Amino acid sequence: MAPGRRQVLVVRGGWEGHQPRETTNLFMSFLRENGFRILVEESLEVYEDEKLLAQTDLIVQCWTLGDITRAESEGLAAAVRGGTGFAGWHGGILDAFPGEPSYRLLVGGQAVVDMPGPDRQRVRLSGEHPDHPVIAGLRDFDVPTPPYWVHADPLNDVLATVTFEADEARERPVAIPAVWTRRWGRGRVFVSTIGHGLDDFAVPEVRAITERGLLWGSR
């Protein structure tokens, strides 16, 4: 790696419905323009490469469903605790590796993908962290795809929410986290529930939040 440059590892694969290659490709030029050297892997075995992960400033993961081995999961978590950033969106980070509970502790949440909700989402920015660099200067916005209902960790700093209205099952409206950041050891974690596919990233605010989140998450 050239002196003064940061390295990003893009790990992509899993269910093709979330377009892991197409969506991660959207951010390649942005990352290069911000001084990153990019390494792309389409196998989770890279999470066992302790030396490589220690030299990596940011991991961007887009891997929906699938299985992760204990060694791979432990390698990823150890890297983040050591200072490597971890970032992702939608199912590529929140619906990855459903059989590995320790992964949930790392990302701070899990999607409950079969929870009925609206056909589109109104994303409301948090009033608790208005100056956070991921959302500063932005306003509430709409996204043309259904929101995720998530179970979220109280250690998260929630930057945006979506509202599920009351229905025959829910007695009252509830705001569900849509974007958050968190610290895990010395590492930073950025998670956005938004990013089902290319159409979501055509919304300027979604693109801006994701790009800012990648930079915030990096070592």
Side-chain angles (χ1 to χ4, degrees), residues 34-54:
N34 281 274
F36 286 94
R37 173 181 179 270
I38 301 172
L39 175 63
V40 177
E41 291 286 344
E42 298 186 356
S43 169
L44 298 174
E45 291 180 3
V46 70
Y47 287 155
E48 295 187 55
D49 191 334
E50 181 179 354
K51 181 178 179 181
L52 173 63
L53 297 188

Side-chain angles (χ1 to χ4, degrees), residues 176-195:
I176 296 293
V179 180
W180 66 80
T181 57
R182 61 193 271 114
R183 304 291 181 116
W184 196 248
R186 296 196 298 273
R188 295 181 172 193
V189 179
F190 164 78
V191 176
S192 173
T193 67
I194 311 161

Side-chain angles (χ1 to χ4, degrees), residues 107-130:
V107 300
Q110 179 175 11
V112 184
V113 294
D114 58 352
M115 179 66 72
D119 293 332
R120 56 189 295 115
Q121 50 191 310
R122 177 68 172 172
V123 181
R124 294 178 170 84
L125 303 186
S126 169
E128 295 184 10
H129 308 282

Side-chain angles (χ1 to χ4, degrees), residues 1 13 29 31 40 50 52 62 92 104 106 122 145 155 160 169 177 183 196 216 219:
M1 184 166 53
S29 295
L31 290 166
V40 177
E50 181 179 354
L52 173 63
C62 190
R104 308 289 156 218
L106 173 64
R122 177 68 172 172
T145 53
L155 291 173
R183 304 291 181 116
H196 178 80
W216 181 90
R219 192 197 314 264

Side-chain angles (χ1 to χ4, degrees), residues 51-107:
K51 181 178 179 181
L52 173 63
L53 297 188
Q55 296 172 343
T56 296
D57 298 289
L58 175 67
I59 299 169
V60 178
Q61 179 186 282
C62 190
W63 196 294
T64 304
L65 299 174
D67 297 312
I68 191 170
T69 68
R70 178 60 58 86
E72 291 163 352
S73 179
E74 290 178 350
L76 171 61
V80 176
R81 288 196 305 271
T84 300
F86 189 56
W89 51 82
H90 201 63
I93 194 167
L94 279 173
D95 198 22
F97 326 129
E100 183 51 57
S102 64
Y103 175 78
R104 308 289 156 218
L105 295 176
L106 173 64
V107 300

